[in-house]
Amino acid sequence: MKVSMWRLFFTLVVVGASAYAVYQTPIRLGLDLRGGTQIVLEAQDTAEVEVDAEVTARTLEVLRRRVDAIGVAEPTLQVSGERRIIVELPGLEDPDQAVEAIGRTAQLTFHPVLASFPEGAVPEGEEGLVLPGNPGEDLVLGPLAVSGEEVESAGPFFDTQGSVQWVVSLQFFPEGERAWAELTAEAACAGPGDASRRVAIVLDSEVISSPGVALDVACGVGITGGGTIVTGGFDEEEATELAALIQAGALPVPVEVIERGTVGPSLGEAAIAASVEAALIGAGLTIVYMIAFYRLMGVVAAISLGVYALASYSVLAWIGATLTLPGIAGFVLAIGMAVDANVLVYERAKEEHAAGSSISESIVAGFSRAWSAIADANMTTLLAALLLFFYASGAVRGFGVTLSIGVIVSMFSALVVTRVLLEILGRWLPLESRPRLVGMTVGRRFQEWIKDTNPNLLRSWRRWLGVSAVAVVLAVTGLFVSGVNLGLEFVGGRLLEFATDQPVDVEDLRSTLTEQGLPRALIQESGEGNLIIRTEQLDEAEEEILVEAVESAGGSSTVVRDQFVGPTLGEELRNRALIALGIAVVVQLAYLAIRFRWTIALSSVLAMVHDVVILIGLFAWMGKIFDGVFLASLLTVIGYSVNDSVVIFDRIREQIGLRPDDPIEEIANDACLQTVPRTINTGLGALLILVSLYVLGGDTLADFALALLIGILVGTYSSVFTASPIAISLERRYPRPPPEPDPKAATARGRKNTTRS
């Protein structure tokens, strides 16, 4: 077997660069693992605006956009009372700068310059707004002509053509474009050097730039095109920050920093250690299973997964992503799911070897024949992840980043790293005479049993559709009967801050509250040594339990603060997440319709909806809390569900090319049987990790692991017994035209499905 030098070189470069990045760049830890900076802001009344709940809510959303824009990942923002906002920022290198950027009003306005005078020499009675301009100069400005609300986008760039400095580029909405053209058209009528030929750009009552309109701009015409640049002697960091503030928008009212300090992690050391230990045990069990089943190919897969973990971690560190505990669990789970690409290749290779090909030929064919399934499954997930990144915000956007990285790196590890390792083994070891050692014959008895018995899984496909429909109805019934128990992130709750006589062991207090029926209370230590506890609304008995637990742990206590706090996943974030998910579903439909057929695309999406509804309904029936951790698990299940269906539909597409005249029911059944080994091995890889997290990870990750266990089991079921029957029904109702034979499939010795009798 020939070794591809470009694959080997690429692998070595990626491994070396990843190791260097991990060594040089520590990854950021989230508020739950490390704590961070807490800022309490209070909205201030102005002459025009009196602060109320609506104004505070609008202020919160602007602050959220600013935090996202300046690159703080996984923050927590929530309303406290009627006019205060709590902002928690994990692991900042320069919290002072972040506080200054977040708290600025950022009111951007554009004014005509009426006159210019030496500093302090503006005549009394001069009409207009007087502000300092250039050093030693005062400007008299006319009324506001364009506001920052009419700016559509803003971005920093280095101007090499004009001022040769960092500037901020602005693009106006149509209304702002017209107002800007009118402003510059009037200024252009003044003569060269006249102060009234200038335009003042004002940020928070400070003139940051007052450029003159270029001489080639005609009087009465102005600057058209909808954009301009802001100069001000900025460096790169200042230009980036200003662009972020403008893009996020101005605060409706000024805010004042009332409190500022540090908060400890919301999870205890014992919980973190247990969760990480459980994740590592689960990953280890997955690797052991792969080696036991695939022998030498399993060893190669384990090494490839190690490269995957190293590369993914290095990319997350390099882009400055913030790692939370659910992120760690999701990261390790992604390692288990990354097994899928290796399994697809190996099962294809084993099929080729069983048909008479040599080991070397089987391995090459395995990669070639598995490529379409791997590409389509990962592309649907990647499209959804990218849309979550571009259209969502907050934690959902962070999930999109992590998922995108995981998909890209997993494809690299399976298709490049695994292949080059197998090529090296084939070059230096006598593999042809040892098919059992390589793993080519493992599981063959099971495959032969399937071939001999040829079970007809889809004979009663209408009945399976009925079962799925009943399951969906029962799940929806759970939503009405039990209701949806939304967590603090969605509905808010109470924040209590206690000052205690003695230091409190936070881990012991968490255990006590869990035993007393308050497992969802989030406990943090503040920089002043106080305890901050966030919990849902409490009745008198629950409040008494909480106070007694605090006093038992820390002696007598005083309530420093007791107030309502709003949701951390605000209305805007939820709406943007739903819009992003909706767009992602439409894009996935379009992609699958192009790659397969619209009937297949619709079947995949309906099966995904089936899985999501059942998961939500089961959690409702069990009385579980729907919180941010559940949201992360739900997004993971959506990606897994589509992937599982695509693998089966890839086989259906191939078999239709081989057997265009056979009934669709028979083809779909054979495709499901062909993918049974892949389904078992991929499912077990994920389940080993999830069971470890559920049993050993403690209360923190129990619901996360449970949701994913349900999602993966239901998704595995639905790919065969929901997606396939829907596809059969649609294909029978809307038959496709006879396809052209697949040239690749036709050359595969013209054989039919190995499972057919």
Side-chain angles (χ1 to χ4, degrees), residues 19-332:
Y20 178 79
V22 170
Y23 176 75
Q24 288 289 103
T25 310
I27 201 164
R28 297 179 183 176
L29 298 179
L31 289 163
D32 55 351
L33 300 178
R34 185 182 175 185
T37 300
Q38 184 186 79
I39 310 158
V40 180
L41 302 171
E42 185 172 86
Q44 306 295 310
D45 293 329
T46 66
E48 297 80 17
V49 180
E50 183 176 347
V51 175
D52 56 16
E54 182 182 352
V55 171
T56 304
R58 286 193 287 123
T59 303
L60 173 69
E61 296 306 333
V62 173
L63 290 172
R64 193 187 303 281
R65 290 196 296 269
R66 288 188 182 182
V67 170
D68 287 342
I70 64 176
V72 179
E74 303 292 343
T76 297
L77 294 91
Q78 58 188 155
V79 172
S80 174
E82 187 171 85
R83 59 172 63 219
R84 290 191 177 185
I85 297 171
I86 299 173
V87 182
E88 291 183 345
L89 309 172
L92 294 180
E93 293 182 2
D94 190 352
D96 291 333
Q97 182 181 357
V99 172
E100 181 183 353
I102 293 169
R104 291 179 68 178
T105 307
Q107 186 69 47
L108 182 72
T109 55
F110 300 80
H111 302 256
V113 176
L114 304 180
S116 170
F117 296 95
E119 185 177 358
V122 178
E124 290 187 12
E126 188 75 23
E127 294 186 0
L129 175 66
V130 179
L131 292 175
N134 295 321
E137 174 191 48
D138 284 337
L139 297 178
V140 180
L141 309 182
L144 178 149
V146 188
S147 75
E149 294 180 358
E150 293 165 315
V151 175
E152 180 178 14
S153 63
F157 79 96
F158 190 75
D159 182 13
T160 58
Q161 303 297 321
S163 55
V164 192
Q165 61 177 320
W166 280 97
V167 300
V168 176
S169 172
L170 304 180
Q171 193 69 29
F172 295 105
F173 286 112
E175 185 177 342
E177 179 182 349
R178 290 190 294 271
W180 175 251
E182 292 173 3
L183 173 63
T184 53
E186 184 177 346
C189 295
D194 192 322
S196 58
R197 194 177 179 91
R198 294 159 64 184
V199 172
I201 303 172
V202 180
L203 180 71
D204 292 344
S205 301
E206 178 184 344
V207 177
I208 58 173
S209 179
S210 56
V213 176
L215 296 178
D216 58 353
V217 176
C219 174
V221 176
I223 300 174
T224 57
T228 187
I229 62 172
V230 178
T231 61
F234 311 123
D235 57 24
E236 181 180 4
E237 188 174 344
E238 291 169 337
T240 302
E241 180 182 306
L242 177 59
L245 289 172
I246 295 172
Q247 184 71 41
L251 292 173
V253 291
V255 293
E256 181 180 338
V257 177
I258 301 300
E259 298 176 24
R260 179 184 160 189
T262 59
V263 290
S266 58
L267 299 176
E269 293 183 5
I272 295 171
S275 301
V276 172
E277 181 182 355
L280 293 176
I281 290 174
L285 290 174
T286 300
I287 291 173
V288 169
Y289 174 78
M290 285 291 291
I291 295 174
F293 193 86
Y294 289 110
R295 309 296 168 83
L296 196 56
M297 290 195 297
V299 174
V300 170
I303 298 172
S304 176
L305 291 175
V307 173
Y308 164 82
L310 177 67
S312 298
Y313 187 89
S314 68
V315 174
L316 290 172
W318 180 65
I319 66 173
T322 300
L323 195 61
T324 60
L325 188 57
I328 293 175
F331 176 73
V332 178

Side-chain angles (χ1 to χ4, degrees), residues 581-616:
L581 284 173
I583 296 173
V585 169
V586 172
V587 171
Q588 286 180 331
L589 268 171
Y591 177 83
L592 292 173
I594 293 171
R595 290 289 293 153
F596 295 89
R597 191 169 180 250
W598 71 267
T599 54
I600 301 298
L602 185 58
S603 301
S604 298
V605 172
L606 289 177
M608 177 195 71
V609 173
H610 162 275
D611 300 345
V612 169
V613 171
I614 289 179
L615 174 57
I616 294 174

Side-chain angles (χ1 to χ4, degrees), residues 474-559:
L474 289 175
V476 173
T477 303
L479 297 177
F480 289 100
V481 174
S482 301
V484 177
N485 187 8
L486 295 176
L488 293 174
E489 293 95 331
F490 293 103
V491 297
R494 283 179 66 182
L495 182 149
L496 297 100
E497 183 174 352
F498 294 91
T500 58
D501 288 346
Q502 304 168 9
V504 175
D505 188 318
V506 175
E507 193 60 40
D508 288 344
L509 179 58
R510 286 193 182 95
S511 299
T512 301
L513 291 177
T514 299
E515 293 170 0
Q516 296 293 326
L518 297 174
R520 292 292 176 174
L522 297 178
I523 308 172
Q524 295 171 284
E525 291 180 296
S526 71
E528 293 76 25
N530 292 347
L531 283 178
I532 297 175
I533 301 178
R534 291 180 176 87
T535 184
E536 63 269 12
Q537 295 294 347
L538 305 174
D539 56 31
E540 291 185 11
E542 290 171 330
E543 185 173 347
E544 185 176 343
I545 290 173
L546 178 64
V547 173
E548 287 180 357
V550 171
E551 292 183 346
S552 175
S556 62
S557 64
T558 303
V559 177

Side-chain angles (χ1 to χ4, degrees), residues 678-735:
R678 171 263 167 195
T679 301
I680 293 174
N681 292 328
T682 298
L684 277 175
L687 290 177
L688 286 170
I689 293 176
L690 291 173
V691 170
S692 297
L693 289 174
Y694 183 75
V695 175
L696 304 174
D699 295 332
T700 305
L701 284 180
D703 285 354
F704 176 81
L706 178 62
L708 287 175
L709 279 169
I710 294 171
I712 287 177
L713 291 174
V714 173
T716 301
Y717 164 87
S718 70
S719 62
V720 176
F721 298 109
T722 304
S724 298
I726 292 174
I728 291 172
S729 177
L730 292 174
E731 288 284 334
R732 285 166 62 93
R733 187 176 182 83
Y734 305 99

Side-chain angles (χ1 to χ4, degrees), residues 1-26:
M1 187 184 298
K2 184 179 179 181
V3 179
S4 171
M5 298 310 296
W6 76 263
R7 289 192 191 97
L8 178 60
F9 174 77
F10 194 25
T11 299
L12 292 175
V13 168
V14 169
V15 171
S18 299
Y20 178 79
V22 170
Y23 176 75
Q24 288 289 103
T25 310

